[in-house]
Amino acid sequence: SGALPTSLSVPYFGDSLSDQVLVDQVNAWADYGALEPAGAAALCAVANSAEWRDLRGRTFVALGATAELGPLALLLQCGATVVAVARGKPAKWAELVSMARASAGTLVVPLKRPASSDEE
């Protein structure tokens, strides 16, 4: 399992925004009106607090877990337990399992049938 993130990182046009660059961009979005002030304040608070990025011991249910814009990857990176609900596309589920194994979190997946003792 992976380590907790040392900073909040947000993908943006093929790049990754973090630390003060992220805070500046979030504030620019709020000033422009593309982001509500309360949303900007919340993002900045999370960006500036390692404690808020530690989700170990917390459980979330992610509907549409394989969606590209969903929070599943970040939740797993932050150590959360995530109950994933999505359509049964094997390739997408394989990606989620791989992502979870490399993260600090735990992925809980539904099974159509009981797993045998040699399956994980």
Side-chain angles (χ1 to χ4, degrees), residues 15-118:
D15 201 1
S16 187
L17 306 178
S18 61
D19 302 317
Q20 191 59 44
V21 174
L22 173 61
V23 170
D24 291 345
Q25 183 61 59
V26 166
N27 288 324
W29 287 328
D31 290 344
Y32 178 73
L35 182 61
E36 291 291 329
L43 276 172
C44 290
V46 172
N48 290 320
S49 173
E51 183 180 327
W52 285 25
R53 291 188 303 275
D54 183 353
L55 299 177
R56 292 175 294 187
R58 308 269 177 129
T59 302
F60 297 82
V61 176
L63 302 178
T66 57
E68 292 292 325
L69 293 176
L72 184 124
L74 180 59
L75 293 171
L76 288 172
Q77 289 169 10
C78 292
T81 296
V82 181
V83 179
V85 179
R87 293 182 182 175
K89 296 182 180 179
K92 288 287 192 176
W93 281 105
E95 288 176 28
L96 292 183
V97 169
S98 178
M99 179 190 315
R101 286 184 173 150
S103 77
T106 301
L107 180 66
V108 178
V109 298
L111 298 175
K112 289 185 179 180
R113 60 181 169 76
S116 66
S117 60
D118 62 335

